[in-house]
Amino acid sequence: MESDWKEFCALVPILRERYLAVRNSEIARIITDSTKTETERFWDVMEVMEKETKTLRRCFDGHSRSKMWLYMITMRGEGMLKRKDLMNFSEEIQRRVFDGPFEKKG
């Protein structure tokens, strides 16, 4: 379990940056959409940012060893965590996160 925790701590910044690279690209597209007014662009970006703030807090704030696998399931549900990201984790964590009773969001 200690090795899983260390692996998780090393993986978190990678997942966050990978996720934000995609989200920031989406925001850039919104803010440069020439078919919308400046006001529409502002409010569209604000809406996306509010949603992403909640997602980021839910996935990245307050990690603990005892709840690590729950955070991983949440990350998986948001599309941040892929099965290949767990190659260095114990089989128990891999099963718990990807073969457990929780389904990925559509």
Side-chain angles (χ1 to χ4, degrees):
M1 190 67 156
E2 180 65 26
S3 62
D4 285 334
W5 175 246
K6 287 180 181 179
E7 190 68 33
F8 177 73
C9 290
L11 183 60
V12 164
I14 295 165
L15 295 177
R16 184 179 52 244
E17 292 303 308
R18 184 172 70 194
Y19 180 78
L20 285 173
V22 173
R23 296 306 178 254
N24 287 344
S25 293
E26 287 177 12
I27 291 167
R29 279 193 298 279
I30 293 168
I31 209 157
T32 58
D33 183 351
S34 62
T35 66
K36 295 190 175 195
T37 67
E38 295 295 333
T39 301
E40 289 171 322
R41 285 186 252 174
F42 174 85
W43 290 115
D44 288 351
V45 167
M46 183 67 136
E47 184 178 327
V48 170
M49 295 290 290
E50 286 173 349
K51 176 191 172 285
E52 293 307 330
T53 298
K54 290 177 186 174
T55 299
L56 291 169
R57 285 188 176 134
R58 194 170 48 253
C59 292
F60 297 112
D61 285 0
H63 295 152
S64 68
R65 283 182 193 158
S66 63
K67 294 183 181 178
M68 173 184 69
W69 69 278
L70 293 172
Y71 279 98
M72 294 172 86
I73 288 170
T74 302
M75 291 171 181
R76 185 196 83 190
E78 293 296 338
M80 292 177 194
L81 185 67
K82 312 291 185 211
R83 188 177 288 274
K84 67 180 179 162
D85 295 322
L86 297 184
M87 290 180 357
N88 295 326
F89 285 85
S90 68
E91 289 196 24
E92 177 189 350
I93 288 292
Q94 290 182 42
R95 274 193 310 275
R96 204 174 227 192
V97 172
F98 274 92
D99 300 329
F102 304 99
E103 292 298 320
K104 184 180 181 304
K105 283 183 0 182

